[in-house]
C-alpha cells in the first residue's frame, strides 16, 4: 500500500506537535504534502512559527509550511494560552526556526493541491479550528468531492465540552467553519474528546519518551509535562489527553479506534451551546449519517505506536 498523501492543518499546540512528529516519523504510511497553520491555540504568527520549529526538531526543514487564516470566518479569535502557554509550545525553551515559511497562503495551497492530485487521493487532517478547510471549500466548492477523507480532532458528545460546558475548543473557535466541513459531504472521521480523553499521558508513558534519550523524546516529555498540568488540575486525571496524534495514529493503525457512523450537526445559533457537536449516537433522528464518530481507543496500543515511531527521529 503506498503511503497516504495528507495535509495537516494545525494550531501548534504541544499535542499538535506530537501529531506532526508522528506523521514525519512514519514515511511508509504518510506522505506529508504540506502543513497549513491556522489561528487557534495561539495566534497565527505563533502557530506558523511553531509548525516550523517542530519540522526542524524532526530534522525536516524541507517540509512546506504555509500560514493560513488568522481569524475565524465570522467571529473574534479565542485562544488557549491558559493550556498551551504564551508561545503555544511552552515547556522547553525552543530556538526560533530558520526554515522558510512558504509565500503561498495555506488556503490556496489546500485548493491547489486538491485540484492537482488525482481525485480521492488526498486526506485532510485538521487538528485545530476548521477555518482554513472551510474557507477553501467556500472559495473552491469543486474540491470537496476530490477529498479522500477528512480525519479531524474536534467535538465531543459523552465527554461534553472542554472550553464551554457543551463545546470542544476546535469547534467552538469557529463553529461556522465546522458547519461547512460537517455538511461538505466529504468522508469524515472525527476524533472527539470522547476518545482523546481515553489516551492519557500517564507517567510510565511519558517516561517511555524520556528513556529514548533523544532530543525528540526529551521535547515530547517536556511538552507533555507542561501541557498536562491544566487537564490534571481540571479533571483530577493521572495525565492529560493527547488529542491531536489520534488522527495520525488512525491513519497508521485504524484498528486502534472504534466508533459509529452517525449524524453530527454543529450548533451555530445558541449562545448557550455554541459549537456543540450534536451527535445522534443513538440514531433517534432520521438525519443522514455524515461522520465516523470515534468513541474508544486501545490506549496502550496508541502509546506503543507513538513510542516506536518517535524513537525513529
Ligand atoms: O480541544 C482540544 C483541541 O484544541 C486540540 O487540537 C488542541 O491542540 C486544541 O487545539
Ligand atoms: Ca490542535
Amino acid at each position: 500500500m503506498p503511503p497516504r498523501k495528507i495535509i495537516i492543518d494545525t494550531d501548534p499546540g504541544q499535542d499538535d506537535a506530537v501529531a506532526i512528529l508522528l506523521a514525519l516519523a512514519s514515511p511508509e504510511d504518510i506522505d506529508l504534502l504540506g502543513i497549513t497553520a491556522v489561528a487557534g491555540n495561539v495566534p497565527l504568527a505563533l502557530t506558523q512559527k511553531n509548525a516550523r520549529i517542530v519540522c526542524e526538531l524532526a530534522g525536516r526543514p524541507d517540509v512546506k509550511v504555509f500560514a493560513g487564516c488568522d481569524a475565524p470566518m465570522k467571529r473574534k479569535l479565542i485562544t488557549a494560552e491558559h493550556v498551551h502557554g504564551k508561545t503555544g509550545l511552552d515547556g522547553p525553551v525552543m530556538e526560533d526556526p530558520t526554515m522558510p515559511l512558504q509565500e503561498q497562503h495555506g488556503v490556496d495551497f489546500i485548493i491547489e493541491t486538491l485540484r492537482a492530485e488525482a481525485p480521492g487521493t488526498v486526506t485532510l487532517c485538521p487538528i485545530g479550528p476548521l477555518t482554513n478547510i472551510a474557507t477553501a471549500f467556500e472559495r473552491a466548492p469543486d474540491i470537496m468531492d476530490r477529498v479522500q477523507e477528512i480525519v479531524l480532532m474536534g467535538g465531543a458528545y459523552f465527554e461534553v465540552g472542554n472550553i464551554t460546558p457543551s463545546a470542544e475548543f476546535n469547534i467552538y473557535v469557529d463553529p461556522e467553519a465546522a458547519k461547512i466541513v460537517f455538511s461538505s459531504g466529504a468522508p469524515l472521521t472525527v476524533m472527539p474528546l470522547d476518545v482523546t480523553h481515553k489516551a492519557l499521558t500517564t507517567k510510565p508513558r511519558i517516561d517511555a519518551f524520556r528513556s529514548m534519550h533523544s532530543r525528540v523524546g526529551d521535547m515530547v516529555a517536556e511538552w507533555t509535562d507542561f501541557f498536562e498540568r491544566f487537564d490534571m488540575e481540571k479533571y483530577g486525571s493521572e495525565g492529560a489527553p493527547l488529542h491531536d496524534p489520534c488522527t495520525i495514529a488512525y491513519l497508521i493503525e485504524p484498528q486502534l479506534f472504534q466508533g459509529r457512523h452517525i449524524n453530527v450537526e454543529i450548533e451555530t445559533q445558541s449562545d448557550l451551546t455554541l459549537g456543540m457537536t450534536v451527535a445522534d449516537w443513538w440514531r433517534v433522528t432520521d438525519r443522514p449519517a455524515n461522520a465516523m464518530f470515534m468513541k474508544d481507543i486501545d490506549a496502550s496500543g496508541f502509546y506503543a505506536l507513538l513510542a516506536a515511531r518517535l524513537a525513529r527521529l
Side-chain angles (χ1 to χ4, degrees):
M1 188 102 121
R4 192 105 169 225
K5 289 179 181 173
I6 77 168
I7 295 173
I8 294 178
D9 188 72
T10 178
D11 64 335
Q14 291 87 347
D15 59 321
D16 302 67
V18 179
I20 294 167
L21 290 173
L22 178 57
L24 291 175
S26 309
E28 70 270 46
D29 300 297
I30 305 283
D31 176 4
L32 182 56
L33 302 180
I35 296 176
T36 49
V38 67
N41 284 320
V42 287
L44 179 66
L46 286 173
T47 58
Q48 58 88 342
K49 175 180 162 189
N50 292 343
R52 290 183 288 146
I53 286 175
V54 176
C55 289
E56 289 187 339
L57 172 64
R60 292 295 308 279
D62 58 298
V63 173
K64 290 199 178 100
V65 176
F66 301 81
C69 299
D70 62 3
M73 296 181 100
K74 294 199 167 66
R75 297 172 186 274
K76 232 171 70 55
L77 176 64
I78 293 166
T79 52
E81 286 87 349
H82 60 292
V83 179
H84 299 274
K86 68 176 180 8
T87 71
L89 283 185
D90 280 26
V93 177
M94 309 291 295
E95 301 280 308
D96 281 354
T98 55
M99 68 183 275
L101 177 71
Q102 298 299 308
E103 291 289 311
Q104 188 178 31
H105 191 285
V107 169
D108 294 329
F109 171 72
I110 292 168
I111 294 170
E112 185 182 273
T113 303
L114 281 165
R115 283 179 173 160
E117 299 288 341
T121 63
V122 176
T123 295
L124 303 177
C125 292
I127 51 179
L130 291 163
T131 316
N132 286 344
I133 311 298
T135 303
F137 285 178
E138 286 255 293
R139 210 179 287 170
D142 60 289
I143 66 173
M144 287 193 285
D145 62 10
R146 298 177 70 91
V147 175
Q148 178 176 9
E149 186 176 10
I150 298 173
V151 183
L152 71 86
M153 190 278 139
Y157 182 59
F158 294 98
E159 197 64 18
V160 296
N162 62 357
I163 188 82
T164 73
S166 53
E168 177 279 328
F169 179 79
N170 288 342
I171 308 298
Y172 181 70
V173 169
D174 199 340
E176 284 75 19
K179 191 176 183 71
I180 289 167
V181 171
F182 276 69
S183 55
S184 69
L188 186 56
T189 298
V190 180
M191 294 288 165
L193 299 181
D194 305 16
V195 78
T196 67
H197 278 201
K198 295 172 184 168
L200 297 180
T201 59
T202 60
K203 189 173 177 323
R205 290 166 176 167
I206 302 311
D207 288 348
F209 296 129
R210 275 211 175 79
S211 63
M212 290 175 191
H213 302 298
S214 69
R215 182 152 165 68
V216 165
D218 291 346
M219 291 300 104
V220 169
E222 289 187 47
W223 280 332
T224 36
D225 279 349
F226 179 88
F227 165 76
E228 69 180 9
R229 82 215 182 292
F230 175 80
D231 284 89
M232 287 170 79
E233 255 160 60
K234 176 175 172 182
Y235 295 103
S237 51
E238 57 154 325
L242 209 46
H243 306 284
D244 294 338
C246 289
T247 58
I248 307 301
Y250 167 79
L251 292 175
I252 300 170
E253 290 187 10
Q255 70 280 10
L256 292 172
F257 301 90
Q258 283 79 40
R260 274 187 194 174
H261 194 236
I262 58 171
N263 175 268
V264 181
E265 302 292 340
I266 309 295
E267 176 58 66
T268 56
Q269 304 303 314
S270 152
D271 289 342
L272 190 59
T273 57
L274 184 70
M276 181 176 184
T277 44
V278 182
D280 187 5
W281 183 263
W282 303 109
R283 298 190 177 107
V284 295
T285 75
D286 56 2
R287 290 195 291 256
N290 60 340
M292 185 62 192
F293 199 77
M294 293 301 183
K295 184 170 183 286
D296 290 303
I297 180 175
D298 167 1
S300 307
F302 170 67
Y303 275 92
L305 172 68
L306 259 185
R309 293 294 167 101
L310 296 188
R312 294 175 171 182
L313 297 176

